[in-house]
Amino acid sequence: MSESTEISFEQTRKDFLSFLKYTKGHSDTTCYNYNSDLGIWQRWLLEAKLDWQNCSPTDVEHFVSHLSREGVGAHAVARKISCLATFYKWAKRNSKVQEDPIYQIEKPKRPRRIPVWLETEEQNAFIKATRNYDDIPDNIFGRSRDSLLEVRRRYELLFELIQKSGLRISEALGMKNRDVRVVDGVAKSLRVIGKGNKERQVPLPEAFGRVLALSIGGKDGDEYLFAKKPGGKPPTAHAVRAYLKKLIEKAGIDKKVTPHKLRHTYATRLLEKDVQLVDIQALLGHESIATTQIYTHAGQERLSKLVADI
């Protein structure tokens, strides 16, 4: 691969990522994943002495074999090929390449993952642990107990919000006070900007709505809902996951629980109440009903309980 081709790939990658972010409205996390996967593809091409503009479907199949030999899981392999498919489709449409090598290959199917969620008992234990402040020290690293208590309550509200609305962590952290519709002291719904800059309205249960409305009372509408300080930024998704991990351990729950698993929990509770998949799809902001169908496990759980004592 010549030096000019290498520079061409770098510029093309930057242009592609700009297209994803500013035209398609993809999140920073999605763009980061695309950038990472394209970097892995680029390094393999360099080692194989192949030109990214003139590689063949057979080259792509060799790349898949290489990933498998390196121990990359089936789901991750499928994601990388999906990334390349989007990249080369865009590149051909914009006259960066003459042929799309991904179009002609049989793409690996993503293995279906059974979602992880909290059972009702686990959810109750998690809420109890979150609201138990006995583990908060009087002082740590120069921070007072009051300061640490404020942090705990911010996370408590964040985790409850996800369990009551099914928001993605990026959606929750990007939410501002003005996105909460408050009527007579009750937060009725949330204005959510989801994937692809698509807007949806998510209703809230009344009891939680009162708590949320109280928390934002008198605050600037342009301020982030979970700002670490007035006028400041919210915590990072990484910090949220780390704090959640500590609370899950405190609750004695033997599962790997992430903010996205709390979103799964929300969807599971809805399905247990016989909410239709098409309504869950709208609430979660899924583009396709096929994505929502992973939650049919809840229906199977309920049927299993019904026949347990026959």
Side-chain angles (χ1 to χ4, degrees), residues 201-218:
Q201 295 289 331
V202 179
L204 295 171
E206 184 170 345
F208 177 69
R210 293 187 184 280
V211 173
L212 183 59
L214 190 62
S215 75
I216 65 174

Side-chain angles (χ1 to χ4, degrees), residues 63-305:
F63 175 61
V64 171
S65 298
H66 162 76
L67 293 174
S68 298
R69 287 195 302 272
E70 291 293 309
V72 179
H75 195 276
V77 170
R79 191 192 79 178
K80 287 169 174 55
I81 299 306
S82 176
C83 163
L84 292 180
T86 305
F87 172 72
Y88 275 100
K89 182 179 179 181
W90 172 88
K92 185 177 181 182
R93 191 166 59 239
N94 288 273
S95 303
K96 308 288 187 181
V97 297
Q98 291 186 343
E99 299 296 334
D100 176 356
I102 314 297
Y103 178 75
Q104 302 175 49
I105 71 167
E106 184 177 348
K107 299 175 184 63
K109 290 183 171 56
R110 292 176 184 250
R112 183 175 177 180
R113 287 180 173 176
I114 298 176
V116 174
W117 71 97
L118 293 178
E119 300 288 359
T120 303
E121 297 80 6
E122 292 172 326
Q123 193 174 10
N124 291 337
F126 171 61
I127 293 171
K128 183 178 179 181
T130 304
R131 294 175 180 172
N132 180 355
Y133 308 135
D134 291 344
D135 62 322
I136 297 177
D138 290 333
N139 187 288
I140 185 170
F141 303 127
R143 301 181 69 183
S144 69
R145 190 175 194 276
D146 286 344
S147 172
L148 297 170
L149 186 58
E150 183 180 338
V151 172
R152 168 66 64 81
R153 285 175 172 156
R154 184 190 311 125
Y155 280 117
E156 178 184 335
L157 185 68
L158 171 61
F159 297 142
E160 189 167 3
L161 174 72
I162 296 174
Q163 292 174 85
K164 300 297 186 184
S165 66
L167 264 58
R168 300 177 178 93
I169 184 59
S170 58
E171 294 170 344
L173 294 179
M175 184 153 294
K176 295 189 174 181
N177 294 329
R178 65 166 180 258
D179 296 321
V180 183
R181 185 173 68 91
V182 178
V183 179
D184 295 331
V186 180
K188 294 290 188 178
S189 64
L190 307 170
R191 174 180 172 269
V192 184
I193 305 299
K195 288 187 175 180
N197 277 333
K198 292 182 178 177
E199 181 178 327
R200 69 185 190 276
Q201 295 289 331
V202 179
L204 295 171
E206 184 170 345
F208 177 69
R210 293 187 184 280
V211 173
L212 183 59
L214 190 62
S215 75
I216 65 174
K219 293 184 178 178
D220 188 338
D222 286 328
E223 188 173 304
Y224 284 102
L225 184 59
F226 297 104
K228 292 187 287 186
K229 60 182 180 180
K233 297 286 188 180
T236 65
H238 178 75
V240 172
R241 292 187 189 98
Y243 204 98
L244 175 59
K245 183 174 183 290
K246 290 192 295 185
L247 290 176
I248 288 295
E249 290 172 353
K250 179 185 174 186
I253 298 170
D254 188 21
K255 282 181 180 176
K256 182 180 178 181
V257 179
T258 63
H260 204 73
K261 303 303 187 292
L262 298 183
R263 176 171 154 91
H264 288 330
T265 300
Y266 168 77
T268 301
R269 296 290 95 85
L270 289 176
L271 203 55
E272 288 172 348
K273 295 179 182 297
D274 294 319
V275 176
Q276 297 298 305
L277 277 178
V278 67
D279 294 323
I280 298 176
Q281 176 192 1
L283 289 167
L284 293 178
H286 284 159
E287 186 172 347
S288 168
I289 191 76
T291 307
T292 317
Q293 285 174 337
I294 64 170
Y295 297 111
T296 55
H297 68 270
Q300 295 300 319
E301 289 280 318
R302 188 170 61 254
L303 290 176
S304 296
K305 291 176 181 177

Side-chain angles (χ1 to χ4, degrees), residues 9-10 12-21 24-43 63 76 78-90 110 195 287:
F9 180 86
E10 282 300 321
T12 303
R13 176 162 64 170
K14 289 177 182 177
D15 292 344
F16 172 64
L17 293 172
S18 293
F19 163 75
L20 292 180
K21 182 171 178 61
K24 300 295 288 182
H26 288 318
S27 69
D28 289 343
T29 300
T30 298
C31 292
Y32 174 84
N33 289 335
Y34 271 95
N35 186 50
S36 175
D37 289 341
L38 287 172
I40 292 169
W41 169 244
Q42 181 188 25
R43 288 191 292 275
F63 175 61
R79 191 192 79 178
K80 287 169 174 55
I81 299 306
S82 176
C83 163
L84 292 180
T86 305
F87 172 72
Y88 275 100
K89 182 179 179 181
W90 172 88
R110 292 176 184 250
K195 288 187 175 180
E287 186 172 347

